């Protein structure tokens, strides 16, 4: 199992614990804008870029769908495939909203992932995001933010 | 089906020493039906969700260990802790989970859990 790589060091500990406890195969923590904060289980920046873009889009769609159907955004999403399952949920570090998407198989279960994600949410909340979160608000430069965060996770491309 | 599950947890939860009885999805670890937690403070942390998920997970691992040892499917799993016990019985797509006190009549709990698993719709 690979260690998480992080663009913002304050998430390294909680992300590692979540990965180990919930027995996740891979996962990405990101801002809703698509900027990656940390990841594990991926070896390619292109894969993380795809996950970030898709997660960001799915979150926006699911949030709006939740508002229309239930009057409030959905909190989490789970898709059970034949061999692998995807879990997607939100968490907050102070005023900053974050998204997490994780993949697991039969070595874990949705219930187990849910309870350890709750612990992850509490751990993230306890951190001091006011001083530790270096993320700025959305700049509107989706591609630029995504590329900068991927550079932080995997190193600059072509160097 | 939901009514039958409710009846099972009600019956099991009324056994002496049973603190809570639950029916949990075997593959996802989510609670299908549960009794209230006896003695739990109102508004206090509810550990049933955690217990259900981890007990189902543990039971799946015990099943693999039992298979590896060529013992077949486990009939009854009991986890003994300092202040009580957790009992688990598999029933195809669900597992029955009870949280019991140390002084509970385990023979009766075991018998009724296995009967419930056998008769489960």
């Amino acid at each position: 199992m690979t260690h998480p790589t992080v663009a913002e060091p304050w998430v390294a500990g909680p992300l590692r614990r979540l990965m180990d406890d919930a027995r996740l195969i891979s996962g990405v923590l990101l801002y809703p804008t698509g900027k990656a904060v940390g990841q594990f289980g991926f070896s390619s920046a292109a894969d993380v870029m795809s996950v970030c873009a898709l997660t960001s889009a799915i979150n926006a769609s699911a949030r709006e769908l939740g508002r229309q159907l239930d009057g409030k955004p959905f909190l989490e999403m789970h898709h059970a495939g034949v061999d692998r399952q995807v879990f997607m949920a939100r968490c907050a570090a102070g005023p900053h909203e974050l998204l997490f998407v994780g993949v697991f198989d039969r070595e874990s279960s949705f219930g187990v992932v849910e309870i350890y994600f709750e612990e992850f949410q509490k751990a993230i909340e306890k951190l001091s995001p006011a001083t530790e979160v270096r993320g700025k608000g959305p700049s509107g430069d989706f591609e630029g933010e995504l590329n900068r965060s991927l550079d932080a996770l995997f190193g600059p491309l072509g160097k | 089906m939901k009514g039958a599950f409710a009846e099972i947890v009600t019956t099991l939860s009324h056994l002496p020493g049973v603190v809570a009885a639950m029916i949990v999805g075997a593959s996802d670890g989510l609670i299908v039906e549960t009794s209230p937690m006896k003695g739990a403070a109102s508004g206090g942390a509810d550990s049933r969700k955690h217990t259900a998920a981890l007990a189902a997970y543990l039971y799946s691992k015990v099943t693999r260990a039992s298979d590896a040892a060529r013992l077949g499917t486990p009939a009854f799993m009991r986890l003994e802790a300092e202040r009580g016990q957790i009992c688990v019985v598999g029933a195809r797509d669900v597992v029955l989970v009870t949280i019991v006190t140390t002084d509970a009549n385990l023979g009766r709990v075991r018998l009724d859990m296995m009967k419930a698993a056998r008769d489960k719709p």
Side-chain angles (χ1 to χ4, degrees), chain A residues 4-6 8 10-21 24 27-29 37-40 100 120 123-124 153:
Chain A
T5 54
V6 294
E8 301 189 15
W10 59 279
V11 298
L15 204 54
R16 175 67 200 254
R17 274 194 298 279
L18 175 64
M19 179 185 86
D20 289 342
D21 292 342
L24 294 165
V28 180
L29 183 69
V37 180
Q39 70 83 27
F40 55 85
F100 176 78
F120 175 78
I124 289 281
L153 293 176

Side-chain angles (χ1 to χ4, degrees), chain A residues 44-110:
Chain A
S44 146
D47 290 342
V48 175
M49 185 189 287
S50 302
V51 170
C52 286
L54 288 169
T55 304
S56 187
I58 291 167
N59 173 61
S61 310
R63 175 179 291 236
E64 187 52 32
L65 191 62
R67 274 202 196 99
Q68 292 194 18
L69 293 176
D70 201 26
K72 55 183 186 293
F74 293 135
L75 293 175
E76 60 181 45
M77 195 201 79
H78 170 236
H79 170 74
V82 178
D83 295 319
R84 293 187 169 193
Q85 305 183 41
V86 179
F87 172 82
M88 191 185 293
R90 284 184 278 146
C91 55
H96 300 269
E97 186 185 339
L98 295 158
L99 303 177
F100 176 78
V101 58
V103 177
F104 60 97
D105 61 12
R106 287 175 191 167
E107 290 301 310
S108 188
S109 74
F110 179 46

Side-chain angles (χ1 to χ4, degrees), chain B residues 80-85 102:
Chain B
E80 191 175 325
E82 269 178 71
R83 289 183 294 277
Q85 310 177 53
T102 45

Side-chain angles (χ1 to χ4, degrees), chain A residues 23 107 109-111 118, chain B residues 27-28 30 49 57 61 64:
Chain A
R23 302 193 68 81
E107 290 301 310
S109 74
F110 179 46
E118 277 175 23
Chain B
S27 60
D28 59 20
L30 300 178
K49 187 177 165 185
Y57 179 74
K61 299 297 164 203
R64 277 172 61 170

Side-chain angles (χ1 to χ4, degrees), chain A residues 80-150:
Chain A
V82 178
D83 295 319
R84 293 187 169 193
Q85 305 183 41
V86 179
F87 172 82
M88 191 185 293
R90 284 184 278 146
C91 55
H96 300 269
E97 186 185 339
L98 295 158
L99 303 177
F100 176 78
V101 58
V103 177
F104 60 97
D105 61 12
R106 287 175 191 167
E107 290 301 310
S108 188
S109 74
F110 179 46
V112 167
V113 172
E114 252 196 337
I115 61 170
Y116 285 116
F117 185 75
E118 277 175 23
E119 289 185 8
F120 175 78
Q121 281 176 313
K122 286 176 191 161
I124 289 281
E125 274 170 11
K126 278 182 196 163
L127 296 171
S128 306
T131 53
E132 290 173 296
V133 174
R134 286 182 292 143
K136 305 97 190 164
S139 65
D141 177 17
F142 176 82
E143 192 180 346
E145 281 191 12
L146 183 57
N147 286 332
R148 279 190 291 278
S149 64
L150 291 172

